[in-house]
Amino acid sequence: MSEKENFYKSVYKIAVPVTLQSLLMALLNLTDQLMVGQLGDVAIASVGMSTKIYGIIAVVLAGLSTGVSIYAAQFWGNKDSKSVSQVLGLGLIVGFAFSFLFSAAVFIDSPLFLSMFTTDANVIDNGYIFLQIMSIGFVPVMLTMMYSAILRSTGHAKWPMYVSLIAVVLNIILNYVLIYGNFGAPALGLKGAAIATLISRVIECLLIIGAVYRYRLPGAVGLKNLFIIPKPLIRKFFGTTYPLLLTELIWVLGETAYAIIYSRMGTMEMTAMTITFPLQGLCIGLLSGLASAAGVLVGNRLGANETDIALDHAKKFIRLGIIISLIVGVIIAAGSRLYVSAFNISEDAKQMSIYIVIVFAGFLWAKVSNMIIAGGILNSGGDSKFVFSMESTATWLIGVPSGLLLSYVWKQPVYLVYLVISLEEVVRFGFGYARIYSRKWMRNLVNDLAEKAM
């Protein structure tokens, strides 16, 4: 098999399962919203506020799992399975410490956390039980994320996909039974939704860990080999990972700032933006597998000291991402009116939404390219400090200031504000693309660690 054929076979092997898993999780969230939506406004708001609180830990765990993925991919490329298990152990220690403490704090005083996001007494009174039950699942979520990161980084991406499929189906069934009291079960309403989600997350966690040990997948080692971690690995891991956490934080703060800008422009403007979010999430989810595959395959090559092949892979991923996203963008733009017509909103809001969808379609290639470049390629070489600088500069020196000026000072329509804000993606792409060709990101993070371990 030629190198080109092997490349595309590997992309398919990793990208497709990750994409399907992203779509499954989107389906899970959509199903939860639809089922809870039948319980009324307070229930919907309670779930929304709880999701914001869950987002705090999700951001931290996402940064941590990315750090685990970076080192696991390079160790795997260096044929060092022992160190793959050690970096998993390190991720589990840090992840458990944070998720357990956060879970305990939220469980003990859920109303306090809800009051950080809302002053509505009804939401706090009805939502705190939902959040309290959900908080018990933070540790299982962490375990699932860490083991999934290891499996994807070592070419076993199908297992997290299978497990997610089971979890989604289970959650839908449990929602139907526990929320509405079907099959003789008590109708628990919002509490039933929380219990269903908790059970699904626990089962998902047990299945992923069970699969690892049942089929002797990477990470299937005893506690002694899992948690005896060399100090050089600890120092290097945190040196790479803390900028990842900061990048995730910057992203969350940036998205919050944009949401504030759109919401302050008016109800119709916020409605127009909001109805495009599911479409945006679906498109990014469809192409997220390319970023994951890029991180794994490029990281494997860097770990094996095959820098020329790593650079060639990086270029192919960027080209592939641009081509696919341009095709998807044309389809989205062509179907924008059909998508917007599915919502029961005013004609003015519909027209505004169509413009926003078209702008999104026009910039999709840049969004996907940046996801591949920053989230996949640059991070695979441990270039997390550059990624943090690039992301924060584009968001806070270009995106947010231009959004504020256009909306509050110059009073421009929301689709124009969104267009100018999206220009930050093009700027970020320019910096990222230049960084790829500079080769400064191409570092073997594990070679010296392997030598010290010998």
Side-chain angles (χ1 to χ4, degrees):
M1 185 182 293
S2 68
E3 178 65 33
K4 183 177 181 180
E5 291 174 333
N6 187 56
F7 170 79
Y8 285 108
K9 183 179 179 181
S10 298
V11 171
Y12 178 84
K13 183 180 178 182
I14 299 171
V16 171
V18 172
T19 297
L20 289 176
Q21 186 180 14
S22 297
L23 293 178
L24 285 170
M25 298 316 295
L27 175 63
L28 174 61
N29 292 332
L30 178 60
T31 303
D32 271 347
Q33 289 177 2
L34 290 174
M35 289 186 165
V36 172
Q38 307 305 311
L39 301 176
D41 294 346
V42 173
I44 296 172
S46 298
V47 173
M49 296 302 102
S50 298
T51 301
K52 289 181 180 293
I53 294 165
Y54 170 73
I56 297 172
I57 189 172
V59 164
V60 176
L61 294 180
L64 184 61
S65 65
T66 301
V68 169
S69 296
I70 291 169
Y71 281 89
Q74 290 212 11
F75 279 130
W76 193 251
N78 200 33
K79 304 186 187 318
D80 184 358
S81 57
K82 179 181 178 181
S83 294
V84 170
S85 298
Q86 290 174 340
V87 78
L88 170 61
L90 184 53
L92 291 174
I93 291 171
V94 179
F96 179 80
F98 180 80
S99 58
F100 178 78
L101 291 174
F102 192 74
S103 175
V106 174
F107 183 84
I108 291 170
D109 200 347
S110 295
L112 174 64
F113 282 85
L114 285 171
S115 65
M116 294 167 56
F117 292 91
T118 181
T119 57
D120 190 322
N122 286 331
V123 172
I124 295 174
D125 291 342
N126 289 276
Y128 88 90
I129 296 177
F130 179 86
L131 179 59
Q132 192 174 58
I133 295 171
M134 288 277 289
S135 69
I136 303 172
F138 292 167
V139 172
V141 166
M142 179 277 300
L143 293 170
T144 300
M145 291 179 70
M146 294 305 123
Y147 277 94
S148 295
I150 290 294
L151 293 176
R152 292 195 192 101
S153 300
T154 56
H156 298 83
K158 65 180 182 180
W159 290 103
M161 180 193 69
Y162 292 152
V163 169
S164 290
L165 175 59
I166 295 171
V168 167
V169 173
L170 178 62
N171 192 51
I172 292 173
I173 294 172
L174 290 175
N175 271 342
Y176 180 73
V177 172
L178 297 176
I179 293 177
Y180 308 118
N182 292 301
F183 300 114
L188 299 176
L190 196 57
K191 184 178 180 181
I195 294 173
T197 301
L198 174 61
I199 293 174
S200 300
R201 285 177 174 173
V202 171
I203 296 297
E204 183 181 25
C205 169
L206 294 176
L207 286 175
I208 198 78
I209 297 175
V212 166
Y213 283 91
R214 171 66 177 83
Y215 297 100
R216 306 305 299 172
L217 301 173
V221 297
L223 295 179
K224 181 179 179 181
N225 292 325
L226 193 62
F227 295 120
I228 297 179
I229 306 163
K231 290 183 179 179
L233 174 58
I234 296 174
R235 288 195 295 269
K236 204 161 191 179
F237 177 84
F238 282 111
T240 304
T241 303
Y242 85 83
L244 295 172
L245 299 176
L246 292 176
T247 301
E248 293 288 344
L249 179 61
I250 285 293
W251 179 81
V252 169
L253 293 176
E255 290 299 305
T256 301
Y258 294 147
I260 292 172
I261 289 172
Y262 299 136
S263 64
R264 294 297 177 88
M265 293 182 71
T267 302
M268 185 172 68
E269 285 79 4
M270 190 60 201
T271 299
M273 284 299 307
T274 300
I275 67 172
T276 68
F277 291 159
L279 179 63
Q280 294 187 34
L282 179 63
C283 293
I284 297 301
L286 276 171
L287 297 165
S288 62
L290 286 175
S292 295
V296 172
L297 297 183
V298 175
N300 288 166
R301 295 299 187 178
L302 292 175
N305 289 316
E306 297 171 344
T307 54
D308 289 337
I309 297 177
L311 183 59
D312 180 66
H313 281 4
K315 294 176 182 176
K316 285 179 178 175
F317 271 112
I318 296 171
R319 286 197 298 270
L320 189 61
I322 290 175
I323 291 170
I324 295 176
S325 56
L326 283 174
I327 294 171
V328 173
V330 170
I331 295 172
I332 292 171
S336 59
R337 187 171 297 275
L338 181 63
Y339 172 78
V340 171
S341 65
F343 295 86
N344 184 24
I345 55 177
S346 67
E347 288 301 318
D348 288 342
K350 284 183 178 180
Q351 190 60 50
M352 198 174 288
S353 300
I354 291 171
Y355 291 149
I356 294 170
V357 170
I358 292 173
V359 171
F360 169 73
F363 285 95
L364 182 61
W365 70 271
K367 292 177 182 291
V368 171
S369 298
N370 290 332
M371 185 169 60
I372 293 170
I373 291 171
I377 297 168
L378 296 181
N379 277 337
S380 72
D383 205 21
S384 52
K385 292 181 181 178
F386 175 82
V387 171
F388 169 71
S389 300
M390 178 177 68
E391 298 280 347
S392 57
T393 298
T395 299
W396 293 100
L397 294 185
I398 299 174
V400 173
S402 61
L404 290 171
L405 283 172
L406 284 163
S407 61
Y408 293 155
V409 179
W410 295 324
K411 309 295 183 181
Q412 297 300 308
V414 66
Y415 53 84
L416 184 58
V417 174
Y418 180 53
L419 187 151
V420 175
I421 285 177
S422 297
L423 289 174
E424 70 153 292
E425 298 283 359
V426 180
V427 174
R428 190 182 293 130
F429 172 78
F431 282 115
Y433 198 72
R435 185 70 170 184
I436 295 291
Y437 274 85
S438 75
R439 302 176 72 107
K440 293 178 181 178
W441 58 277
M442 303 179 71
R443 294 193 293 273
N444 185 322
L445 302 170
V446 303
N447 197 42
D448 59 331
L449 294 174
E451 291 173 356
K452 291 175 183 178
M454 294 176 62

